[in-house]
Amino acid sequence: MAKYFDVHPDNPQRRIIGSVVDDIRSGALVAYPTDSCFALGCQLGNRAALDRIRTIRHLDDKHHFTLVCRDFAQLGQFVHVDNDVFRAVKAATPGSYTFILPATKEVPRQLLHPKKKTVGVRIPDHVVTQAILAELGEPLLSSTLLLPDEEEPLTQGWEIKERLDHVVDAVVDSGDCGTRPTTVIDFSGGEAEIVRRGAGDTTRFE
């Protein structure tokens, strides 16, 4: 049965955030809110939780997982970013964007796209997510909480708890999230390619 954490959306309780992070460090798979929609997240390198995300979402090995980062300093440890791409990404973050970029050696091999050796990264504009990332001190390995054969992600914490009670370890609820996942921009070829139009405005990349 999943734990349920009720977190204040503007002033996250430190004690609760600490408990969430303790669970993540202990191997938990959590459902948590972001500035686009709910996501599934676990600690980087948690192979068992990664496999659980694949099972829950019915993902194949070509799916791009996302490293949700606190800031640019952290993001730069995990992907290669040249000057032009840096400026474009910097101008759009924090925000509802995921960027696909060539991974550094810091990224576990099982997260990489098998051919491109790329990974998704993002810096969210969400108080609770940022509180979790600050306490954790490393990125969260994440994937949008979009269930198979459903067109929109789940938006209510209580519903996620009800439906995924036996497949996730914790649900972090700070109120409604949106229903639109991040906009995905692939920079791995040097130029911006819009892979998915979502919550982030795409005009700057067109």
Side-chain angles (χ1 to χ4, degrees):
M1 184 175 291
K3 295 181 183 178
Y4 184 80
F5 294 102
D6 188 6
V7 183
H8 193 283
D10 302 313
N11 298 289
Q13 305 92 320
R14 292 189 65 181
R15 176 184 57 80
I16 296 178
I17 295 298
S19 296
V20 172
V21 170
D22 285 345
D23 284 354
I24 291 169
R25 288 181 177 142
S26 297
L29 173 61
V30 303
Y32 71 98
T34 77
D35 52 344
S36 58
C37 56
F38 271 91
L40 295 168
C42 64
Q43 191 169 28
L44 189 64
N46 185 341
R47 184 64 180 266
L50 176 67
D51 290 341
R52 288 165 67 191
I53 294 173
R54 289 190 193 277
T55 299
I56 292 168
R57 292 204 53 205
H58 295 184
L59 302 174
D60 61 25
D61 64 355
K62 295 180 178 62
H63 177 77
H64 270 107
F65 284 93
T66 299
L67 301 181
V68 178
C69 300
R70 182 184 182 189
D71 53 28
F72 254 91
Q74 195 174 74
L75 182 147
Q77 298 174 42
F78 296 93
V79 289
H80 297 288
V81 187
D82 66 26
N83 289 338
D84 289 341
V85 172
F86 175 87
R87 284 191 289 270
V89 173
K90 182 78 171 174
T93 55
S96 303
Y97 297 90
T98 297
F99 299 98
I100 296 172
L101 290 161
T104 68
K105 292 181 180 179
E106 298 296 318
V107 179
R109 189 166 52 88
Q110 63 265 27
L111 301 187
L112 302 180
H113 187 282
K115 291 184 178 178
K116 296 182 177 180
K117 308 304 180 190
T118 48
V119 71
V121 288
R122 67 171 299 220
I123 302 171
D125 186 14
H126 192 278
V127 173
V128 174
T129 314
Q130 283 288 348
I132 293 171
L133 293 170
E135 182 72 17
L136 184 62
E138 61 181 271
L140 265 175
L141 166 60
S142 295
S143 183
T144 302
L145 208 176
L146 181 61
L147 298 179
D149 303 321
E150 297 197 10
E151 293 185 3
E152 290 191 344
L154 299 176
T155 61
Q156 303 277 351
W158 63 266
E159 184 183 9
I160 293 168
K161 171 80 164 73
E162 196 172 79
R163 294 185 60 181
L164 302 182
D165 203 26
H166 298 290
V167 293
V168 301
D169 301 304
V171 177
V172 180
D173 190 1
S174 62
D176 275 6
C177 282
T179 59
R180 299 183 72 194
T182 56
T183 290
V184 179
I185 309 294
D186 188 343
F187 271 115
S188 61
E191 299 290 329
E193 177 188 348
I194 300 169
V195 176
R196 180 177 71 194
R197 295 177 187 272
D201 183 12
T202 59
T203 54
R204 71 178 73 215
F205 300 106
E206 294 178 297

